[in-house]
Structure formats: structure tokens, C-alpha cells
Amino acid sequence: MTKKVFVNGTFDILHRGHLELLEYAKSQGDVVVVAIDGDERVKEKKGPTRPINTAEDRAYMLSSLKTVDHVLLFNSDLELENCVKVTNPDIMVVGSDWEGKSVIGSMFSTEVHFFPRLEDYATSKTIQSIIDRG
């Protein structure tokens, strides 16, 4: 039986933290489904200067990775919940910063695994580093 793993996030500027998360997800199952926030949702959550890359470009980059089998797009909490429901994953992989919090869609997954966030890697830090180099 095929084991499905679900991951979601913005994945705006891919960095090592993203790649290690996706490699971990792939190590947990056979098929990895990644759901990404739509552009308007990213603006609402991260501010008016984000995303750097459009949802179309982010989806293309992710789908080009060997660790990612399918990419979905969502624009609201309800759409994210529906992505999880439709995927019906065996495992959801979520960043450790969500531990102890309500994870949207987790009721449609058999298990939730928390991936330890790599503090040195964050899109916001990468963007700030580029700005600082001026």
C-alpha cells in the first residue's frame, strides 16, 4: 500500500531548511503532496512585499524536486483543510513551531510528525540578508 505524506507552507525562496523538511517527508512515505499558500494569502500573512515568487513559480520549483510528487494550491484555512481531506494522508509533516498548536486538517491524517525547524534557515532571514548586502 502506498503511504502518503502531506506538507504545507509558503515555500517562497527555497532554502536548505525547506529541502531538509521535504527530504524528511519523503523518508516517511512513498508519495509527498505539498500544498502551498496562494499569493494573496502570503501577502496577508507575510506582508505586502511577499511573496517574492508567484504561486505558479513556487509550484513549478517544488514539482521539479525529486522529493515532491504533487503540488496543490490553497487560499484559505478551509481550502487547506480540504487539501488534506482530499489527499487523505497517512502522515502530515509540520514544522516543530506548530507543536502544541492546532494543525489545520490534522483530523484527516493518521499521524502528525513534527520536523525540527532549522533556525539558521528562514526565507525572511534570506530576504533581509539580500537587503543588507545592498
Side-chain angles (χ1 to χ4, degrees):
M1 187 168 113
T2 302
K3 193 178 235 184
K4 291 183 276 181
V5 181
F6 185 92
V7 178
N8 72 277
T10 302
F11 296 95
D12 193 2
I13 295 177
L14 289 179
H15 53 69
R16 183 176 178 161
H18 291 134
L19 298 177
E20 289 198 26
L21 167 71
L22 295 170
E23 286 172 357
Y24 172 77
K26 191 66 169 186
S27 76
Q28 300 300 297
D30 306 301
V31 174
V32 174
V33 177
V34 179
I36 60 170
D37 297 89
D39 293 340
E40 287 307 310
R41 183 173 168 95
V42 175
K43 275 190 190 339
E44 289 170 17
K45 293 196 167 286
K46 310 264 184 191
T49 61
R50 300 280 301 276
I52 301 298
N53 291 296
T54 66
E56 181 181 347
D57 289 345
R58 291 180 283 128
Y60 181 83
M61 286 185 278
L62 286 165
S63 65
S64 297
L65 299 174
K66 65 183 178 184
T67 52
V68 176
D69 298 291
H70 303 284
V71 178
L72 306 172
L73 179 70
F74 66 93
N75 287 297
S76 68
D77 288 355
L78 181 59
E79 286 183 21
L80 172 55
E81 187 174 297
N82 285 331
C83 286
V84 181
K85 185 177 183 179
V86 168
T87 301
N88 191 30
D90 298 287
I91 299 168
M92 282 183 78
V93 175
V94 183
S96 59
D97 48 330
W98 284 94
E99 209 159 350
K101 299 176 185 172
S102 176
V103 176
I104 296 170
S106 61
M107 72 285 275
F108 300 113
S109 179
T110 308
E111 299 175 41
V112 176
H113 294 189
F114 294 97
F115 181 77
R117 188 175 182 93
L118 303 176
E119 292 303 323
D120 289 343
Y121 298 98
T123 300
S124 297
K125 278 184 163 181
T126 302
I127 293 168
Q128 192 58 54
S129 172
I130 293 167
I131 291 168
D132 291 348
R133 292 175 195 185

